[in-house]
Amino acid sequence: MAASGKDKGLSRVGEQCIAEMNRLGMLVDLSHVSHKTMVDVLEITKAPVIFTHISAYSLTNHERNVRDDILDMVKKNDGVICVTFVQNL
C-alpha cells in the first residue's frame, strides 16, 4: 500500500512490466502485494500467476494475506498458491 494509506494498485509502468514478464515467460509472484495490485495483475496477465508464500485473509485478518475474491481469480487463472502456516502471535 502506498505511504498515503491508499491502495492505488498497479501503475502504468507496472502494467508494462507484467506484459513484458508474460512475453518472456516469467512467473509473476504476487506475494505481499496490495489487494488492488493482485486484482489489477489478475485482470491483465496472459499467464498463470504464483503466490510463493501467503496465507488466507479469512483465517488471519492481515492485509498481506490473500482474500477470497483473489482465490477465485487465481483459480480461473490456473495460478498457484503456496500456503504458509505461521502461528498467529
Side-chain angles (χ1 to χ4, degrees), residues 7-46:
D7 184 354
K8 296 181 180 182
L10 203 58
S11 68
R12 178 69 186 126
V13 172
E15 292 173 2
Q16 294 169 345
C17 288
I18 298 303
E20 182 65 5
M21 291 174 79
N22 286 171
R23 187 186 74 76
L24 294 171
M26 293 175 67
L27 284 172
V28 177
D29 185 354
L30 294 176
S31 299
H32 299 294
V33 303
S34 72
H35 180 261
K36 176 93 170 76
T37 299
M38 292 176 194
V39 171
D40 291 350
V41 170
L42 285 161
E43 286 180 343
I44 66 169
T45 189
K46 305 288 188 236

Side-chain angles (χ1 to χ4, degrees), residues 36-75:
K36 176 93 170 76
T37 299
M38 292 176 194
V39 171
D40 291 350
V41 170
L42 285 161
E43 286 180 343
I44 66 169
T45 189
K46 305 288 188 236
V49 300
I50 188 168
F51 287 85
T52 57
H53 56 288
I54 198 95
S55 296
Y57 183 87
S58 62
L59 297 176
T60 305
N61 182 349
H62 191 284
E63 287 305 314
R64 287 188 173 189
N65 291 337
V66 65
R67 296 173 188 251
D68 289 348
D69 63 324
I70 300 299
L71 293 173
D72 290 336
M73 291 178 80
V74 173
K75 180 179 177 182

